[in-house]
Each structure stands twice: as C-alpha cells, then as structure tokens.
Amino acid sequence: NHSSTNAELEWAADAGGKILQVVASTPTTTELSTNESNNLIDTGLSQAITPTATTSHFIIHVSHQIAITYGSGTSAGIDISLLRDKPSANTTIFAGMDNGSGPTEFFWQPGGGNPDWMSMRYNVTWYDDPNLSNLNAVTYKTRARLQDGSATLYINKDADVDGKSWMIIYEVAAS
C-alpha cells in the first residue's frame, strides 16, 4: 500500500545470502611436523557446524601458520586441502594438488647453497554447497602434504615460536 498519504516501507522478499550463523574453532597451537613426501596428513584443525536448513551453503575460512625447512640445493612444495566430513562421506572440496600431479599451493627453490627455512600464514576461503539431506552436523577439516622428502613441513610453527591455526564457518541462506 503505497499512496501519497500512506508511505509505508516494505522489506524486499528474501533472496538468500544472509548469514544464518557463524562458528569458529578454538585456535590450534599443537605443533605438527612431517617429512613424508606426497602423503596427506591430518593437521588437527577441524570445526563442526549444525545447519539450520537443508538448503544452506557454507563459507569456510582457514588460516594456518606453516613453516618448512629444506636442504641445500633442493626445492620444496606444500599444499593444504579442505575436506567436508558428513556422516555418509568424506569429500575433498579444495585440493592444492591433484593426486600428486597438479599445481602446488607453495613451491620454494632456494637460491643459495645453505639449508633454508620459510615461515608464512596460509589462508583460504571457500564457498561450499554440501547438498544436505538432513540437519546433521557437517565437519570441515584440513590436511597437508609435503612434496619433497628432504624437507620438513611444520604446522602451527613460526620460526622459533608456536603459531596458531583456526577455522571460521559461516552458514549462508541459499538464494
């Protein structure tokens, strides 16, 4: 009812995209290291969310503190994958490497003859439509892979101090 005498405001129809809830993991500080080449390891970072609607989508933000050491004259690469764990299936929704043959997330080639140390924060944000059939909790977790057996990958380590990793999940109403 919009007339010159009755100017009421009306809300537009819900088109989706609203944030329904936000959950965040407790920052993880447990240090983890591996020198196994091309094997995915569980980073220990995970977060569950119980959806409010079967049509919901999720935005997942992951932040990992990582470091890598590698020997003289060698190169090293790493990748981090994001997995969705529903009771019926475990699905990789973001993979830095394609079965060991695809592009790496990070790759270092040392310039000198001395062993090198590299430390950095790895961030990824991903939009996921999990095709929910019920309102059971969905868990997201990360795994990491080292691509050089002479290197060592560290999770939650920044040089000589402990680092922190975390995950934030936003439930988004479907449009």
Side-chain angles (χ1 to χ4, degrees):
N1 184 0
H2 295 96
S3 67
S4 59
T5 59
N6 187 5
E8 294 179 22
L9 295 177
E10 295 179 16
W11 292 103
D14 186 7
K18 292 181 182 178
I19 302 296
L20 301 175
Q21 68 172 312
V22 179
V23 296
S25 67
T26 302
T28 306
T29 57
T30 303
E31 187 181 314
L32 165 64
S33 66
T34 184
N35 60 1
E36 292 183 29
S37 184
N38 292 318
N39 292 323
L40 280 171
I41 60 165
D42 194 335
T43 66
L45 181 62
S46 69
Q47 178 61 48
I49 185 167
T50 302
T52 60
T54 58
T55 56
S56 291
H57 299 180
F58 299 104
I59 298 171
I60 306 98
H61 177 74
V62 173
S63 184
H64 266 297
Q65 183 63 47
I66 58 174
I68 192 168
T69 59
Y70 47 99
S72 175
T74 64
S75 56
I78 65 159
D79 67 278
I80 294 181
S81 297
L82 177 64
L83 289 83
R84 177 192 333 110
D85 188 12
K86 293 195 300 189
S88 60
N90 199 358
T91 305
T92 300
I93 60 171
F94 172 82
M97 243 173 96
D98 227 8
N99 297 325
S101 62
T104 62
E105 289 300 311
F106 303 104
F107 190 81
W108 292 279
Q109 181 73 43
N114 296 324
D116 285 306
W117 171 272
M118 177 75 80
S119 178
M120 66 188 306
R121 179 146 298 278
Y122 169 87
N123 293 294
V124 66
T125 302
W126 199 258
Y127 184 80
D128 184 35
D129 177 1
N131 257 342
L132 299 170
S133 58
N134 56 48
L135 298 180
N136 292 339
V138 178
T139 301
Y140 290 92
K141 63 183 178 180
T142 58
R143 288 187 178 160
R145 177 181 4 232
L146 178 65
Q147 297 179 37
D148 184 327
S150 65
T152 301
L153 168 65
Y154 298 92
I155 304 290
N156 301 326
K157 186 169 180 72
D158 182 8
D160 294 328
V161 298
D162 291 337
K164 294 182 180 179
S165 297
W166 60 85
M167 183 182 301
I168 302 170
I169 305 172
Y170 305 84
E171 181 181 4
V172 181
S175 50

